[in-house]
Amino acid sequence: METCSHIAAKRLLSTALRSLTIFRHMAHTSTHSFTPPTPGGKGVGPPPHGFDYFLVLDFEATCDKNNPPKPQEIIEFPVLKVCGRTFETESTFHTYVQPDVHPQLTPFCTELTGIIQDMVDGQPNLQQTLKAFGSWMGEQGLLTADISSVFVTCGDWDLRTMLPSQCSYLNIPVPSCFRQWINIKKPYSQVMGHWGKGMMGMLRNLELPHEGRHHSGIDDCRNIARILRELARRGAVFQVTSSR
């Protein structure tokens, strides 16, 4: 006859084997049912938010408190390539730009943007920057017919006023890719029910902490990208809002 201790040991072993079988089945089911986010802009089916990539852009330009320079010139040119499926930044184009007409920055401009003279001296001018940006777009696959992308700005000033006015002054064409964009304030207003007055206000109302320096072009791009992601999480529908 089996002793009580032998019977108890068998029961414990049987219970342990059943538990192990259930655990293995759960692990197998979990492994095969989980679909990770697509790492790139291309995936199965159309992108859920309408575009393969969002190109978040925010220029900084020459300025002065009492005597605005004429023409105003771009001095920082940053663009983030944000995946339309994961809303992660996959690549960055960023350069400082040397002004052609007024190469000396004002103290007010440096105080506002954090850009000092040494950061623009010896950098490419706007025409050279646009050429480099076009090359970057090609390298990133953004010029192919089967990839959809759209610029995202905070307001319309960057692409409706700043870039066209400087290109006009320099008598150079505005690249065709800059003809339309999303003003992030418009999808923000649709989601939140009130107009987005500025980046700082939108961050605050979305309960997103501001990161970096305000009026640093690259930092503003990163914060705009965070607003974009949060709006997507809240169900925003993104479509072109502005053109020229």
Side-chain angles (χ1 to χ4, degrees), residues 82-216:
V82 176
C83 176
R85 296 178 183 273
T86 65
F87 287 87
E88 296 294 329
T89 298
E90 294 189 359
S91 184
T92 300
F93 178 89
H94 182 219
T95 185
Y96 293 100
V97 184
Q98 181 166 306
D100 288 304
V101 183
H102 303 291
Q104 192 70 31
L105 303 183
T106 65
F108 175 82
C109 184
T110 293
E111 181 181 356
L112 180 70
T113 66
I115 300 172
I116 63 173
Q117 192 65 43
D118 285 349
M119 294 166 72
V120 297
D121 285 347
Q123 295 301 311
N125 62 19
L126 180 64
Q127 190 166 4
Q128 294 165 332
T129 296
L130 290 173
K131 182 178 180 180
F133 181 71
S135 297
W136 178 82
M137 290 272 285
E139 292 165 3
Q140 294 297 316
L142 295 168
L143 302 179
T144 58
D146 61 339
I147 295 289
S148 60
S149 63
V150 64
F151 287 98
V152 178
T153 61
C154 185
D156 292 321
W157 173 84
D158 300 85
L159 295 180
R160 179 168 289 164
T161 302
M162 184 59 245
L163 182 62
S165 66
Q166 188 175 355
C167 285
S168 175
Y169 185 91
L170 297 173
N171 197 28
I172 60 175
V174 179
S176 59
C177 62
F178 294 112
R179 287 179 181 167
Q180 58 184 23
W181 61 94
I182 295 173
N183 176 353
I184 195 69
K185 296 178 181 180
K186 293 186 179 180
Y188 169 90
S189 68
Q190 293 167 357
V191 169
M192 300 297 288
H194 62 264
W195 183 248
K197 293 183 178 181
M199 184 191 74
M200 298 298 283
M202 288 188 287
L203 287 169
R204 182 170 55 254
N205 292 330
L206 291 169
E207 299 182 344
L208 299 172
H210 175 254
E211 296 180 356
R213 178 192 177 108
H214 193 199
H215 296 304
S216 159

Side-chain angles (χ1 to χ4, degrees), residues 6-20:
H6 286 166
I7 293 172
K10 283 185 175 181
R11 288 177 176 173
L12 287 171
L13 179 60
S14 177
T15 300
L17 289 172
R18 284 198 302 272
S19 298
L20 181 60

Side-chain angles (χ1 to χ4, degrees), residues 201-238:
M202 288 188 287
L203 287 169
R204 182 170 55 254
N205 292 330
L206 291 169
E207 299 182 344
L208 299 172
H210 175 254
E211 296 180 356
R213 178 192 177 108
H214 193 199
H215 296 304
S216 159
I218 189 63
D219 287 349
D220 285 354
C221 281
R222 290 167 181 152
N223 283 296
I224 296 167
R226 293 167 61 234
I227 293 171
L228 181 74
R229 180 173 188 154
E230 178 61 18
L231 293 177
R233 190 187 71 81
R234 298 191 185 204
V237 176
F238 298 113

